[in-house]
Amino acid sequence: MTDKTYDVAVAGAGPAGAQCARDVSARGYDVVVLETEEEDAFPSTSNKSTGGTFPDTLASFGIPDDVVQNFTDSVVIESPNSHYVQEHPGGVLDFGAFKQWLVDDGRRKGAEYRFGARVSEPVVGDGRAVGVRYNGDEEVRAKIVVDATGPSAALAEPMGVVDLRRDRQAIGVEYEMENVSMNPDGYADLRGAMMLRLDHDIAPGGYSWVFHTGGDTAKVGVCYIQNEVHERRADGETVDGYLERWIENDPRFEDAVRIDGAHHRGSAHVQKPESMSAPGLMAVGDTVPSVDPVWGEGIGKCMRSGRAAGVTADTCLQADEFSAEAVSLYDDIWHDRVAPNVDARLLLANLLYEVPNERYDRFMRDLRATDDEVLSKANEGSKRAMMKLIHLGDVPALARVGRRLLSPS
Ligand SMILES: Cc1cc2nc3c(=O)[nH]c(=O)nc-3n(C[C@H](O)[C@H](O)[C@H](O)COP(=O)(O)OP(=O)(O)OC[C@H]3O[C@@H](n4cnc5c(N)ncnc54)[C@H](O)[C@@H]3O)c2cc1C
């Protein structure tokens, strides 16, 4: 331990923590980021994401084209017997290269990175976080601490900021594959597309996906929330088993082969954050959790939460004020800008994973019959727009979802 006190210490070099470090160091503050993985293998276990993202995120954070594996033109949603296509530009990131670029750019802006530094708990003094403990008994002191350790919530859990529930945890696994048939008869054209499939036979209580990465290559994966909807529909397979089974049975993968070593897995919680800060501490990204409950888009949300933490850190450091009230500015920005209408969107997500396969086919018809403006409002969580996609027959499923969301942990 040295006597140095940093302005900001960030635990975790994912999209949320690394973005926060970029923003805060660009403002001239002294920032240190502690990342558990070793630098020469980074990112390894944390190279978990498909990396599907959209132009607003690419532009807002200046993400360079050379970490984008493939620019896409459409989003396709499939049900067991139908599909819906929306023209919508996007980009599939090479997530490992993207994480490395975040680190490099943060360093260029002045942030210090310590790899091989596993953060275990906050250092608390005068009733607030004043640093972090890592690798056993090593310590870093800082005026503000940011927990960006993703679902491990290494600091936010012990500080009582979050309580991540197992029955709200979504787990996912994907392979990168080549020789995928991207446009066979009877299926949607997936060239230049990010496709999500709602089908309980493939992903009970979740969804599966094919994101085109160029030529005949794609990222192919499955995820679901480990709750009673999954248990009711599951037949004892593991998440890897469900992915293998899909690849075995879907003709689009008949000749496909896995690309060596290109295998990603991870988890994120789909639950409403009760709080996201404590005196001297903010929790960002999947720690909160910030992942979009409907479509699983986490990168943009997590980076926005990192940026909101950066703005809050700047305000607190200028005022030299780190109380619960001062830091709660972050909670306000989060609800306002990072994930507005979180309740309505959680309800929509849970309803989507709850209804049976037949309803998914009808959902495709509804999507085709609804104009783009209403769809975009529904996606933003407008209850009035969402009601246009909900039918009388959905009421029992809605009631089950409501009970589940209100159930105590
Ligand atoms: C299979 C899968 C597919 C996905 N696909 C998409 C997609 O297509 N589009 C999209 O937008 N989002 C996607 N997501 C979600 C997205 O990847 C996450 O929301 C995002 O990565 C979260 O960023 P984060 O910085 O909060 O956390 P993380 O990415 O989890 O980063 C946390 C960092 O903290 C480090 N760390 C953990 N514990 C410690 C500790 N104790 N001490 C120090 N460091 C620690 C980790 O090594 C890691 O580097 C996907 C997620 C999964 C699992």
Side-chain angles (χ1 to χ4, degrees), residues 2 12 25-27 53 56 58 61 84-85 96 108 116 165 190 201 210 214 221 244 279 339 344 346-347 374 404-405:
T2 65
S25 52
R27 288 171 199 233
T53 188
D56 55 338
L58 296 170
F61 299 102
Y84 164 77
V85 181
R108 273 192 293 276
R165 288 175 55 171
L190 298 187
D201 292 339
V210 176
E244 291 285 351
L346 267 173
L347 190 70
V374 174
R404 194 164 61 246
L405 288 177

Side-chain angles (χ1 to χ4, degrees), residues 48-95:
K48 61 184 185 181
S49 181
T50 314
T53 188
F54 295 101
D56 55 338
T57 297
L58 296 170
S60 303
F61 299 102
I63 299 171
D65 287 1
D66 59 7
V67 301
V68 180
Q69 256 177 307
N70 194 27
F71 286 100
T72 52
D73 313 307
S74 61
V75 172
V76 175
I77 303 172
E78 283 188 1
S79 67
N81 302 296
S82 186
H83 66 260
Y84 164 77
V85 181
Q86 183 162 68
E87 297 308 320
H88 193 96
V92 183
L93 299 173
D94 173 338
F95 193 67

Side-chain angles (χ1 to χ4, degrees), residues 164-231:
L164 297 176
R165 288 175 55 171
R166 192 178 176 281
D167 66 347
R168 306 278 158 94
Q169 187 187 27
I171 53 169
V173 60
E174 83 172 4
Y175 304 150
E176 292 190 43
M177 305 196 77
E178 57 192 348
N179 232 8
V180 178
S181 182
M182 300 300 298
N183 186 29
D185 287 346
Y187 288 91
D189 183 356
L190 298 187
R191 291 170 300 177
M194 295 192 227
M195 180 276 268
L196 299 171
R197 184 177 177 98
L198 295 163
D199 184 341
H200 294 297
D201 292 339
I202 294 168
Y207 56 83
S208 57
W209 64 87
V210 176
F211 283 15
H212 188 209
T213 46
D216 62 5
T217 67
K219 293 177 173 174
V220 180
V222 163
C223 77
Y224 51 76
I225 304 175
Q226 302 179 103
N227 61 12
E228 82 256 14
V229 180
H230 170 72
E231 270 151 32

Side-chain angles (χ1 to χ4, degrees), residues 293-304:
V294 182
W295 303 121
E297 192 210 345
I299 295 164
K301 297 269 179 210
C302 291
M303 292 178 85
R304 279 179 185 81

Side-chain angles (χ1 to χ4, degrees), residues 116-320:
R118 190 182 164 279
V119 171
S120 52
E121 58 180 357
V123 177
V124 180
D126 294 334
R128 70 175 176 96
V130 291
V132 300
R133 201 156 283 127
Y134 70 100
N135 291 355
D137 57 3
E138 306 231 36
E139 275 184 23
V140 158
R141 296 271 171 166
K143 293 176 184 161
I144 293 209
V145 173
V146 176
D147 187 349
T149 57
S152 29
L155 305 169
E157 291 245 28
M159 289 284 288
V161 172
V162 295
D163 176 17
L164 297 176
R165 288 175 55 171
R166 192 178 176 281
D167 66 347
R168 306 278 158 94
Q169 187 187 27
I171 53 169
V173 60
E174 83 172 4
Y175 304 150
E176 292 190 43
M177 305 196 77
E178 57 192 348
N179 232 8
V180 178
S181 182
M182 300 300 298
N183 186 29
D185 287 346
Y187 288 91
D189 183 356
L190 298 187
R191 291 170 300 177
M194 295 192 227
M195 180 276 268
L196 299 171
R197 184 177 177 98
L198 295 163
D199 184 341
H200 294 297
D201 292 339
I202 294 168
Y207 56 83
S208 57
W209 64 87
V210 176
F211 283 15
H212 188 209
T213 46
D216 62 5
T217 67
K219 293 177 173 174
V220 180
V222 163
C223 77
Y224 51 76
I225 304 175
Q226 302 179 103
N227 61 12
E228 82 256 14
V229 180
H230 170 72
E231 270 151 32
R232 217 185 307 133
R233 298 182 188 279
D235 56 13
E237 236 358 310
T238 60
V239 67
D240 300 72
Y242 282 112
L243 178 55
E244 291 285 351
R245 191 196 285 178
W246 184 32
I247 288 169
E248 243 168 66
N249 293 318
D250 190 314
R252 291 173 287 191
F253 309 123
E254 199 176 334
D255 300 317
V257 284
R258 285 175 58 180
I259 297 173
D260 242 10
H263 176 190
H264 315 286
R265 70 171 62 244
S267 72
H269 291 77
V270 179
Q271 73 180 68
K272 186 181 172 188
E274 295 306 330
S275 73
M276 45 200 87
S277 63
L281 179 123
M282 289 175 273
V284 298
D286 277 356
T287 305
V288 176
S290 315
V291 67
D292 174 82
V294 182
W295 303 121
E297 192 210 345
I299 295 164
K301 297 269 179 210
C302 291
M303 292 178 85
R304 279 179 185 81
S305 76
R307 176 156 283 175
V311 169
T312 306
D314 186 19
T315 309
C316 291
L317 287 162
Q318 284 193 45
D320 200 25

